[in-house]
């Protein structure tokens, strides 16, 4: 599909009002996306596990209005007005209006909440923008009932990407690839796709324990971080590495080779942070406790032969990935050895999920 496929035809009807609700999960990248071109086009392809419990639930109530010259919306986060979120939503609506030309015809009341604690250090932009985009697509499907499920999910992913790049990987599950790759059929820079190749059963219920080393605002925003790849001395090699790692991952996922999976995933995480440490300006986003956790995971894996590994986003928190077959022993390890390195001892247990779900449809 191209951008033209997401431009709507004439709407059949404009209902006076209604309400839609969607729940969309966060995701954790295995091969990282870092660096982008205008507008929200990835410099390299990526792949992620869709999570299950860490999710955003968003409701949109819509009421037809007289003045169609400007966007009109109220935003409630956790039941309270959230003024500092509004500029980002305004910018998103401006960016997607050509694909959703009904936006100025309605006043929207957007109510959103996260299943994970606010400021827990888990990026909510992916789940938040995915949930918002699905709600808007749900409204458009009321205006144009000819939209089929394939177009619905592809366009929702396309719209979510325009709000936050990684959000396009939070529409479907459980393994989503984003970014054009010559060896991955139907892959696109415009939206995420469900991984089209065989995946071994060990990965179907993979677990993710998120160790909250540092809660609150990140030292550097993702937007700024991506911009640091422009002119980065190692950028082109990094982009090529991501393409190669997706090729390497295909037989690993098919065979369930956990030893090679661990090597690739941990290397990707450390490469992401290496790129930030060697940019200009440069940043060290890991904290001392991040390194303590990584070293303990390495030691635990060596001593017990348990197939557990880590990955990192652009921050200090550690995602500990492992098969469900070793869940109980890994959770005991987290409780006894790793919680001490988490802020207020907090960590979140999650696992691979199946993507976003519609909660209700009140109209």
């Amino acid at each position: 599909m191209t951008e033209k496929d997401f431009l709507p035809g004439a709407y059949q009807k404009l209902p006076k009002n209604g309400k839609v609700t969607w729940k969309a999960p966060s995701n954790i990248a295995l091969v990282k996306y870092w660096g982008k071109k205008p507008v929200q086009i990835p410099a390299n392809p990526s792949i992620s596990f869709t999570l299950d419990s860490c999710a955003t639930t968003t409701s949109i109530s819509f009421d037809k209005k007289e003045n169609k010259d400007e966007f009109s919306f109220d935003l409630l986060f956790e039941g309270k007005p959230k003024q500092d979120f509004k500029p980002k939503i305004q910018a998103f609506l401006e960016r997607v209006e050509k694909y959703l030309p009904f936006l100025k015809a309605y006043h929207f009341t957007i109510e959103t909440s996260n299943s994970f604690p606010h400021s827990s250090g888990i990026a909510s932009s992916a789940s938040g923008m995915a949930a918002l985009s699905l709600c808007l697509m749900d409204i458009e499907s009321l205006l144009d009932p000819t939209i089929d499920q394939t177009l619905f999910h592809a366009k929702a992913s396309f719209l979510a990407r325009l709000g936050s790049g990684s959000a396009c990987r939070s529409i479907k599950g459980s393994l989503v690839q984003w970014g054009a790759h010559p060896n991955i059929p139907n892959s696109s820079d415009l939206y995420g796709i469900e991984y089209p190749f065989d995946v071994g059963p060990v990965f179907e219920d993979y677990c993710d324990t998120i160790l909250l080393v540092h809660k609150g605002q990140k030292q550097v925003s993702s937007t700024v971080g991506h911009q640091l790849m422009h002119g980065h001395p190692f950028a082109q090699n990094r982009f090529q590495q991501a393409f190669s790692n997706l090729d390497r991952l295909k037989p690993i996922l098919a065979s369930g080779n956990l030893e090679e999976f661990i090597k690739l995933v941990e290397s990707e995480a450390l490469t992401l942070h290496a790129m930030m440490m060697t940019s200009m300006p440069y940043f060290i986003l890991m904290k001392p406790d991040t390194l303590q956790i990584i070293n303990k995971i390495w030691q635990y894996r060596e001593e017990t032969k348990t197939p557990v590994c880590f990955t990192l986003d652009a921050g200090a928190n550690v995602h500990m990935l492992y098969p469900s077959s070793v869940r109980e022993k890994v959770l005991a390890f987290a409780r006894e050895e790793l919680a001490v390195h988490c802020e207020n001892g907090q960590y979140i247990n999650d696992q691979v999920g199946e993507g976003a779900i519609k909660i209700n449809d009140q109209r």
Side-chain angles (χ1 to χ4, degrees), residues 72-325:
S72 174
F73 65 95
D74 294 315
L75 181 65
L76 300 175
F77 178 72
E78 311 284 4
K80 299 177 181 178
K82 193 72 173 174
Q83 292 300 319
D84 53 337
F85 281 10
K86 291 194 76 171
K88 187 171 185 178
I89 302 301
Q90 176 77 21
F92 172 67
L93 296 178
E94 291 170 359
R95 187 173 282 179
V96 303
E97 184 189 10
K98 67 184 287 189
Y99 305 103
L100 300 171
F102 65 85
L103 291 177
K104 288 180 178 175
Y106 290 100
H107 173 79
F108 300 108
T109 301
I110 304 168
E111 302 173 76
T112 188
S113 62
N114 295 331
S115 64
F116 45 92
H118 183 48
S119 297
S120 65
I122 300 173
S124 59
S125 58
S127 55
M129 283 299 177
L132 178 61
S133 298
L134 284 159
C135 286
L136 293 175
M137 278 306 301
D138 212 356
I139 295 170
E140 184 172 59
S141 69
L142 298 175
L143 310 183
D144 182 3
T146 66
I147 296 173
D148 62 26
Q149 285 299 299
T150 299
L151 177 60
F152 181 95
H153 287 108
K155 185 170 177 178
S157 179
F158 170 82
L159 296 172
R161 186 199 99 244
L162 291 173
S164 172
S166 60
C168 75
R169 300 191 309 243
S170 281
I171 303 296
K172 301 284 276 185
S174 55
L175 200 59
V176 178
Q177 191 273 327
W178 168 44
H181 190 297
N183 299 328
I184 300 179
N186 301 315
S187 59
S188 173
D189 288 339
L190 300 180
Y191 51 88
I193 62 167
E194 291 183 270
Y195 190 63
F197 302 124
D198 291 340
V199 178
V202 70
F203 296 113
E204 291 176 359
D205 55 355
Y206 227 66
C207 299
D208 180 7
T209 292
I210 306 156
L211 301 152
L212 303 177
V213 173
H214 176 68
K215 302 192 297 180
Q217 191 167 352
K218 293 188 292 187
Q219 180 184 351
V220 57
S221 71
S222 294
T223 300
V224 172
H226 285 292
Q227 291 172 349
L228 294 175
M229 292 298 283
H230 295 299
H232 195 297
F234 309 133
Q236 293 307 314
N237 285 345
R238 162 57 199 156
F239 300 149
Q240 186 53 53
Q241 180 192 40
F243 278 91
S244 298
N245 278 345
L246 275 163
D247 285 330
R248 287 179 55 206
L249 199 55
K250 182 180 176 182
I252 291 171
L253 291 173
S255 65
N257 187 331
L258 295 184
E259 184 177 348
E260 291 302 312
F261 177 80
I262 287 168
K263 290 178 184 176
L264 189 149
V265 168
E266 291 190 342
S267 171
E268 274 283 321
L270 293 174
T271 298
L272 172 67
H273 281 256
M275 297 308 290
M276 283 181 280
M277 286 191 279
T278 51
S279 65
M280 189 62 69
Y282 38 81
F283 297 92
I284 299 177
L285 301 187
M286 289 186 278
K287 303 290 185 184
D289 281 309
T290 307
L291 296 173
Q292 292 266 37
I293 289 171
I294 290 172
N295 279 301
K296 283 189 174 182
I297 290 173
W298 283 343
Q299 182 180 0
Y300 176 76
R301 188 169 71 221
E302 178 65 26
E303 292 176 352
T304 67
K305 308 306 177 187
T306 305
V308 58
C309 69
F310 71 88
T311 189
L312 306 163
D313 272 338
N317 300 323
V318 180
H319 289 250
M320 185 165 59
L321 303 177
Y322 50 95
S324 63
S325 60

